[in-house]
Amino acid sequence: MRIGVDYYPEHWDKKLWEQDADLMKQTGVKVVRLAEFAWCRMEPKEGEFDFSWLDDAIDILTSRGMKIVLCTPTNCPPLWLYEKYPDAIQTGKDGNKIAIGIRGHRCYNNPSFLKYAKRIIEKMTSHYAGNPSIIAWQIDNELEANFCFCEHCISEFRDWLKEKYGTLDVINQTYGNVVWSGEYSSWEQIKPPFGSYPNAWLNPSFMLDFNRYASDNMIKFVKMQSEIIRKNCGNVPVTTNTWFCENMPDFYKTFEDLDFVSYDNYPVTKIPENKEEYYSHAFHLDLMRGIKEKNFWVMEQLSGGLGCWMPMTSAPHPGMIKGYSLQAFAHGADTVVHFRWRTAATGAEMHWHGLIDQSNVPGRRFHEFEDLCKTAEKLSEIEGTKIKSDVAILYSSDQEYAFKIQPQTEGMYYFEQLKAFHDAFTKYGVNVDIINWSVNLNNYKIVVAPTIYVTDEKVTKNLYEFVKNGGTLILTNRSGVKNEFNNYRMEMLPTVFAELIGAKVSEYDPIGYAEQKIQMKDGSEFTCTRWCDILETTTASVYATYGDSFYQGKPAITRNSYGEGMAYYIGTVGRKALYSHLVQNVLTECNIEHFDHLPYGVEITVRENESDKYYFVFNDSDKACDVMLPNQLQDILTGDIFNELRLQPYDMRILQGQSIQ
Ligand code: GLA
Ligand code: ZN
């Protein structure tokens, strides 16, 4: 398993390069990522290219055995380009160009920018073609599905709509533009959502398409780059480093044509007071693995306290630097690259801490990193192992966009719905995949499809098939609400899913932050909040009923046999205890190996190959704890055999054995 660092030779005096490379080698660093913001050094003047400094840096690093990830530098065009083509910079919502001097501010559709971007990628990739030390290319940096409001982007958006709908009549009809006299009579009337009105005042069908367009538009930019890289660099794998940002692209489409997923992983360093966040790091990692349904990389990994554009956050506690990297391995990463080798001494990011502090004296965090590198070197045995899961949670960017466009009720967020289930399964030490809502579900026993709010025919069919063939499906409130155009379906909720769940929603009550009680059929009671679907069963049995309000006694959760399988419908939003109870029942019912008594914060994931299973046992909490193992398992690093484990905060043990139960 490989550990790497993000390094900026262009930020440092050349004298430091050799020292750095020596220390990297001695520490056990195997991969170095370079050059994602260095366009002004590679093309200091228009048409004058200089890769000599980068060649030197690469030589110094590779002569010490390091492999290189090179990045295209399109995130930050040099100032001479903006000087000559001021329109290459994005236009904001207010119609004005955004400020020069920050990064990520180029317009993906500006012809002048694209001409220069293609040329620098062409030059860079042909210069490094055939260099065996370059093991991957990264496109740009943390790409976002930006909204730019310039004339080129407006015309791209109109073309996207033309391609999708053909005529204005179809658009008017589909969007219901007659509402508020918004019918288009010419293409020129179609504008992106300018101005300061909140999204909620705009047509939700139009807004969903605008989000989809922005994502497709970003992906077009990615494709343009990957084509040039592949043309010149043949089989070198291509990626882009993604993250969870304000304008998220569709992850699945983004990586469709790329070779592997890479992710920027910054677990929060503040210890959560209410334990709510313990498993959320794992959630993000599982989502990343699910994008291509295969192992991935972390391209930027926590190395110190965060800062720069926010007040500084708490320093990573002892154990976090090492533990969170190993946790990424546990969830399917094969290479973890730490951001950054050294804290910046100049520029906007000075307070974002690297592995070595501004003093340039390696300290506590660095020594922990050193230890991590030594551990990773000993893990060759788990290379090539994969994660197999019986449980999947479905994710779709359509829902993410639609929920942002029209918030449902106070405090209800799409991601929170997914996390609630992920958290519950993780608590029982089972592997969970988070996958595209439209993929094949045959290999799973349990599928959770939280809020399939915007529906899709293929997905609906898949879900029916899955249950019919014996799968267990969990659906939730706000399912079946909209068609693919983000318009209401005029049927009783949950519309297309009514037959599958054997129940209908006769009315609903969006209660926001208020709370309610529900009673399960086994007598246990739980708190629910945010939303209450008042259900009427047709073929389902009642699993839980409401305890308060005018719908006291009415069904809140139902369970329906359908074909060979089972469909649960949860008409409300619970707290952790509710999901935990429900998930435990479902795991038992489906005969899935799990742990009933893991201390909160402890995760167990399994990576396996044809012959062996490796249990990664991780304490993602600040308290030492004991984990009872039902079997004797062997620590692959120390050879010790355990029945019971004492885990220090952020401690990871990798154990080998046949079966844990
Ligand atoms: C992101 C970026 C990096 C850096 C870090 C921390 O992850 O990709 O370039 O800016 O944030 O600031
Ligand atoms: Zn633009």
Side-chain angles (χ1 to χ4, degrees), residues 194-222:
F194 274 120
S196 53
Y197 277 117
N199 288 348
W201 283 88
L202 294 159
N203 183 320
S205 303
F206 165 82
M207 285 302 290
L208 179 57
D209 269 349
F210 186 66
N211 277 268
R212 287 166 171 158
Y213 147 78
S215 172
D216 284 355
N217 187 50
M218 185 209 92
I219 293 164
K220 200 166 85 178
F221 183 64
V222 170

Tab-separated table of all heavy atoms in Angstrom, residues 194-222:
chain	number	residue	atom	x	y	z
A	194	PHE	N	-29.926	34.195	-13.237
A	194	PHE	CA	-29.246	35.427	-12.815
A	194	PHE	C	-29.917	36.019	-11.589
A	194	PHE	O	-31.037	35.646	-11.247
A	194	PHE	CB	-29.412	36.498	-13.910
A	194	PHE	CG	-28.398	36.432	-14.991
A	194	PHE	CD1	-28.790	36.223	-16.310
A	194	PHE	CD2	-27.062	36.631	-14.718
A	194	PHE	CE1	-27.871	36.197	-17.328
A	194	PHE	CE2	-26.137	36.605	-15.743
A	194	PHE	CZ	-26.542	36.383	-17.045
A	195	GLY	N	-29.278	37.026	-11.034
A	195	GLY	CA	-29.953	37.856	-10.037
A	195	GLY	C	-29.892	37.281	-8.651
A	195	GLY	O	-29.306	36.226	-8.420
A	196	SER	N	-30.512	37.980	-7.734
A	196	SER	CA	-30.317	37.601	-6.337
A	196	SER	C	-31.504	36.850	-5.751
A	196	SER	O	-31.546	36.599	-4.559
A	196	SER	CB	-30.036	38.856	-5.518
A	196	SER	OG	-31.068	39.778	-5.773
A	197	TYR	N	-32.482	36.505	-6.586
A	197	TYR	CA	-33.609	35.749	-6.039
A	197	TYR	C	-33.150	34.387	-5.548
A	197	TYR	O	-32.314	33.750	-6.178
A	197	TYR	CB	-34.681	35.524	-7.108
A	197	TYR	CG	-35.608	36.696	-7.250
A	197	TYR	CD1	-35.665	37.413	-8.439
A	197	TYR	CD2	-36.408	37.092	-6.186
A	197	TYR	CE1	-36.504	38.501	-8.573
A	197	TYR	CE2	-37.242	38.180	-6.306
A	197	TYR	CZ	-37.290	38.897	-7.505
A	197	TYR	OH	-38.107	39.958	-7.618
A	198	PRO	N	-33.712	33.922	-4.453
A	198	PRO	CA	-33.350	32.561	-4.030
A	198	PRO	C	-33.859	31.544	-5.046
A	198	PRO	O	-34.846	31.814	-5.761
A	198	PRO	CB	-34.055	32.394	-2.689
A	198	PRO	CG	-34.938	33.578	-2.504
A	198	PRO	CD	-34.655	34.576	-3.560
A	199	ASN	N	-33.185	30.416	-5.102
A	199	ASN	CA	-33.566	29.368	-6.061
A	199	ASN	C	-35.039	29.020	-5.983
A	199	ASN	O	-35.676	28.705	-6.974
A	199	ASN	CB	-32.777	28.090	-5.782
A	199	ASN	CG	-31.341	28.256	-6.189
A	199	ASN	OD1	-31.003	29.224	-6.868
A	199	ASN	ND2	-30.506	27.320	-5.775
A	200	ALA	N	-35.575	29.064	-4.766
A	200	ALA	CA	-36.948	28.608	-4.552
A	200	ALA	C	-37.969	29.439	-5.338
A	200	ALA	O	-39.102	29.012	-5.517
A	200	ALA	CB	-37.272	28.645	-3.071
A	201	TRP	N	-37.592	30.616	-5.838
A	201	TRP	CA	-38.524	31.416	-6.636
A	201	TRP	C	-38.503	31.015	-8.100
A	201	TRP	O	-39.294	31.513	-8.895
A	201	TRP	CB	-38.191	32.904	-6.504
A	201	TRP	CG	-38.661	33.464	-5.209
A	201	TRP	CD1	-37.971	33.485	-4.031
A	201	TRP	CD2	-39.941	34.057	-4.941
A	201	TRP	NE1	-38.737	34.051	-3.049
A	201	TRP	CE2	-39.958	34.428	-3.582
A	201	TRP	CE3	-41.065	34.312	-5.725
A	201	TRP	CZ2	-41.052	35.029	-2.984
A	201	TRP	CZ3	-42.157	34.933	-5.129
A	201	TRP	CH2	-42.150	35.272	-3.770
A	202	LEU	N	-37.570	30.181	-8.446
A	202	LEU	CA	-37.434	29.819	-9.864
A	202	LEU	C	-38.101	28.485	-10.129
A	202	LEU	O	-38.348	27.698	-9.217
A	202	LEU	CB	-35.951	29.768	-10.220
A	202	LEU	CG	-35.297	31.149	-10.137
A	202	LEU	CD1	-33.806	31.031	-9.970
A	202	LEU	CD2	-35.643	31.975	-11.381
A	203	ASN	N	-38.363	28.229	-11.391
A	203	ASN	CA	-39.050	27.004	-11.785
A	203	ASN	C	-38.173	25.777	-11.472
A	203	ASN	O	-37.062	25.654	-11.989
A	203	ASN	CB	-39.349	27.101	-13.285
A	203	ASN	CG	-40.125	25.916	-13.788
A	203	ASN	OD1	-39.873	24.784	-13.387
A	203	ASN	ND2	-41.071	26.174	-14.673
A	204	PRO	N	-38.656	24.857	-10.647
A	204	PRO	CA	-37.830	23.708	-10.233
A	204	PRO	C	-37.404	22.794	-11.386
A	204	PRO	O	-36.322	22.195	-11.331
A	204	PRO	CB	-38.725	22.939	-9.262
A	204	PRO	CG	-39.750	23.917	-8.816
A	204	PRO	CD	-39.948	24.884	-9.952
A	205	SER	N	-38.226	22.694	-12.434
A	205	SER	CA	-37.834	21.855	-13.580
A	205	SER	C	-36.654	22.488	-14.293
A	205	SER	O	-35.677	21.825	-14.641
A	205	SER	CB	-38.973	21.750	-14.601
A	205	SER	OG	-40.108	21.249	-13.998
A	206	PHE	N	-36.777	23.793	-14.488
A	206	PHE	CA	-35.700	24.537	-15.129
A	206	PHE	C	-34.430	24.452	-14.291
A	206	PHE	O	-33.335	24.210	-14.804
A	206	PHE	CB	-36.167	25.997	-15.276
A	206	PHE	CG	-35.088	26.975	-15.575
A	206	PHE	CD1	-34.638	27.153	-16.876
A	206	PHE	CD2	-34.517	27.741	-14.560
A	206	PHE	CE1	-33.632	28.065	-17.156
A	206	PHE	CE2	-33.511	28.647	-14.830
A	206	PHE	CZ	-33.067	28.806	-16.132
A	207	MET	N	-34.578	24.609	-12.980
A	207	MET	CA	-33.401	24.602	-12.108
A	207	MET	C	-32.713	23.235	-12.089
A	207	MET	O	-31.491	23.152	-12.053
A	207	MET	CB	-33.793	25.013	-10.684
A	207	MET	CG	-34.051	26.492	-10.526
A	207	MET	SD	-32.632	27.503	-10.989
A	207	MET	CE	-31.503	27.124	-9.664
A	208	LEU	N	-33.513	22.166	-12.106
A	208	LEU	CA	-32.888	20.838	-12.109
A	208	LEU	C	-32.087	20.656	-13.403
A	208	LEU	O	-30.951	20.185	-13.382
A	208	LEU	CB	-33.940	19.734	-11.947
A	208	LEU	CG	-33.390	18.300	-11.952
A	208	LEU	CD1	-32.333	18.087	-10.873
A	208	LEU	CD2	-34.505	17.261	-11.765
A	209	ASP	N	-32.685	21.078	-14.523
A	209	ASP	CA	-31.944	20.985	-15.782
A	209	ASP	C	-30.698	21.862	-15.758
A	209	ASP	O	-29.653	21.473	-16.285
A	209	ASP	CB	-32.843	21.402	-16.962
A	209	ASP	CG	-33.575	20.204	-17.559
A	209	ASP	OD1	-33.228	19.059	-17.207
A	209	ASP	OD2	-34.488	20.411	-18.382
A	210	PHE	N	-30.808	23.018	-15.153
A	210	PHE	CA	-29.638	23.898	-15.115
A	210	PHE	C	-28.493	23.236	-14.335
A	210	PHE	O	-27.331	23.286	-14.750
A	210	PHE	CB	-30.004	25.253	-14.495
A	210	PHE	CG	-28.873	26.229	-14.565
A	210	PHE	CD1	-28.425	26.712	-15.792
A	210	PHE	CD2	-28.208	26.628	-13.416
A	210	PHE	CE1	-27.339	27.584	-15.868
A	210	PHE	CE2	-27.126	27.493	-13.485
A	210	PHE	CZ	-26.694	27.974	-14.714
A	211	ASN	N	-28.838	22.583	-13.247
A	211	ASN	CA	-27.819	21.844	-12.479
A	211	ASN	C	-27.234	20.691	-13.293
A	211	ASN	O	-26.030	20.434	-13.258
A	211	ASN	CB	-28.420	21.288	-11.194
A	211	ASN	CG	-28.448	22.307	-10.088
A	211	ASN	OD1	-27.535	22.422	-9.289
A	211	ASN	ND2	-29.506	23.095	-10.044
A	212	ARG	N	-28.115	19.991	-14.000
A	212	ARG	CA	-27.622	18.859	-14.813
A	212	ARG	C	-26.712	19.373	-15.925
A	212	ARG	O	-25.679	18.780	-16.232
A	212	ARG	CB	-28.800	18.118	-15.443
A	212	ARG	CG	-29.613	17.288	-14.462
A	212	ARG	CD	-30.916	16.896	-15.120
A	212	ARG	NE	-31.702	15.935	-14.358
A	212	ARG	CZ	-33.014	15.771	-14.520
A	212	ARG	NH1	-33.678	16.513	-15.406
A	212	ARG	NH2	-33.665	14.881	-13.817
A	213	TYR	N	-27.114	20.490	-16.516
A	213	TYR	CA	-26.290	21.077	-17.568
A	213	TYR	C	-24.909	21.459	-17.013
A	213	TYR	O	-23.869	21.177	-17.611
A	213	TYR	CB	-26.978	22.318	-18.188
A	213	TYR	CG	-25.990	23.352	-18.622
A	213	TYR	CD1	-25.274	23.189	-19.815
A	213	TYR	CD2	-25.692	24.462	-17.815
A	213	TYR	CE1	-24.296	24.116	-20.178
A	213	TYR	CE2	-24.724	25.373	-18.162
A	213	TYR	CZ	-24.027	25.201	-19.342
A	213	TYR	OH	-23.049	26.084	-19.686
A	214	ALA	N	-24.894	22.113	-15.839
A	214	ALA	CA	-23.624	22.585	-15.267
A	214	ALA	C	-22.693	21.392	-15.032
A	214	ALA	O	-21.479	21.484	-15.255
A	214	ALA	CB	-23.879	23.341	-13.972
A	215	SER	N	-23.269	20.275	-14.609
A	215	SER	CA	-22.460	19.079	-14.395
A	215	SER	C	-21.936	18.550	-15.738
A	215	SER	O	-20.741	18.292	-15.892
A	215	SER	CB	-23.316	18.039	-13.665
A	215	SER	OG	-22.646	16.819	-13.594
A	216	ASP	N	-22.823	18.429	-16.720
A	216	ASP	CA	-22.394	17.940	-18.038
A	216	ASP	C	-21.320	18.843	-18.636
A	216	ASP	O	-20.392	18.390	-19.304
A	216	ASP	CB	-23.581	17.910	-19.023
A	216	ASP	CG	-24.501	16.727	-18.739
A	216	ASP	OD1	-24.172	15.910	-17.862
A	216	ASP	OD2	-25.557	16.624	-19.401
A	217	ASN	N	-21.485	20.130	-18.388
A	217	ASN	CA	-20.547	21.093	-18.942
A	217	ASN	C	-19.146	20.903	-18.350
A	217	ASN	O	-18.135	20.932	-19.057
A	217	ASN	CB	-21.084	22.493	-18.643
A	217	ASN	CG	-20.274	23.557	-19.315
A	217	ASN	OD1	-20.013	23.476	-20.516
A	217	ASN	ND2	-19.859	24.544	-18.551
A	218	MET	N	-19.094	20.653	-17.047
A	218	MET	CA	-17.814	20.389	-16.401
A	218	MET	C	-17.203	19.097	-16.963
A	218	MET	O	-16.002	19.017	-17.216
A	218	MET	CB	-18.017	20.281	-14.885
A	218	MET	CG	-16.739	20.135	-14.115
A	218	MET	SD	-16.959	19.213	-12.585
A	218	MET	CE	-16.587	17.555	-13.146
A	219	ILE	N	-18.071	18.106	-17.170
A	219	ILE	CA	-17.591	16.804	-17.634
A	219	ILE	C	-17.031	16.922	-19.064
A	219	ILE	O	-16.049	16.259	-19.414
A	219	ILE	CB	-18.717	15.752	-17.527
A	219	ILE	CG1	-19.013	15.516	-16.041
A	219	ILE	CG2	-18.360	14.454	-18.234
A	219	ILE	CD1	-20.313	14.822	-15.742
A	220	LYS	N	-17.618	17.807	-19.842
A	220	LYS	CA	-17.089	18.047	-21.198
A	220	LYS	C	-15.644	18.568	-21.116
A	220	LYS	O	-14.775	18.174	-21.893
A	220	LYS	CB	-17.988	19.085	-21.898
A	220	LYS	CG	-17.858	19.075	-23.394
A	220	LYS	CD	-18.982	19.844	-24.041
A	220	LYS	CE	-18.613	21.299	-24.072
A	220	LYS	NZ	-19.528	22.213	-24.688
A	221	PHE	N	-15.402	19.406	-20.142
A	221	PHE	CA	-14.065	19.954	-19.917
A	221	PHE	C	-13.094	18.832	-19.505
A	221	PHE	O	-11.952	18.774	-19.966
A	221	PHE	CB	-14.174	21.035	-18.825
A	221	PHE	CG	-12.894	21.747	-18.512
A	221	PHE	CD1	-12.253	22.527	-19.470
A	221	PHE	CD2	-12.333	21.668	-17.238
A	221	PHE	CE1	-11.077	23.206	-19.165
A	221	PHE	CE2	-11.162	22.343	-16.926
A	221	PHE	CZ	-10.530	23.108	-17.894
A	222	VAL	N	-13.577	17.928	-18.673
A	222	VAL	CA	-12.764	16.780	-18.250
A	222	VAL	C	-12.425	15.908	-19.463
A	222	VAL	O	-11.274	15.493	-19.659
A	222	VAL	CB	-13.523	15.941	-17.185
A	222	VAL	CG1	-12.820	14.626	-16.896
A	222	VAL	CG2	-13.707	16.746	-15.905
